[in-house]
Amino acid sequence: MKNTLTALVDLLLERAELPDSKQPEYHTFRFLDAGIIDSFNLMQFIMEIEEEFDIELTPDDTQSEEFRTLGGLALIIDSKKQQDEE
């Protein structure tokens, strides 16, 4: 099973090329600032995340600073998955 960060990178690669796809620093990649996901596609991307990871993202999640980077988003997802397991 893929880790969360790898799965997020794969979801983004379905939309556009990422800068240097072998880059090990994806956890700090600010995908919203890079324009990979625009406001029009953001809702669809959120729904794909929720379906892929079987979680529900709240407005607080999506408006947080963590949501802006792939690593931060992975932490949000992993935290929600852990809460569901408890």
Side-chain angles (χ1 to χ4, degrees):
M1 188 165 129
K2 293 186 226 180
N3 73 32
T4 305
L5 185 60
T6 302
L8 287 171
V9 169
D10 289 346
L11 281 175
L12 286 178
L13 285 171
E14 291 174 10
R15 299 175 175 287
E17 281 191 40
L18 300 180
D20 189 1
S21 63
K22 296 182 192 248
Q23 180 185 14
E25 301 297 321
Y26 276 135
H27 65 280
T28 60
F29 181 62
R30 298 178 68 84
F31 66 96
L32 291 176
D33 295 342
I36 303 280
I37 302 290
D38 61 20
S39 58
F40 181 75
N41 291 315
L42 184 57
M43 288 306 298
Q44 182 180 1
F45 183 59
I46 290 169
M47 289 187 303
E48 288 173 5
I49 291 169
E50 291 177 332
E51 183 177 323
E52 174 79 19
F53 297 103
D54 194 27
I55 61 165
E56 187 173 322
L57 293 170
T58 67
D60 285 343
D61 295 328
T62 60
Q63 294 171 8
S64 69
E65 183 63 27
E66 289 82 15
F67 186 80
R68 302 186 76 74
T69 66
L70 286 178
L73 180 52
L75 288 174
I76 292 169
I77 293 166
D78 289 343
S79 173
K80 289 188 169 291
K81 290 187 333 189
Q82 185 176 11
Q83 289 173 1
D84 287 346
E85 292 172 3
E86 294 176 352

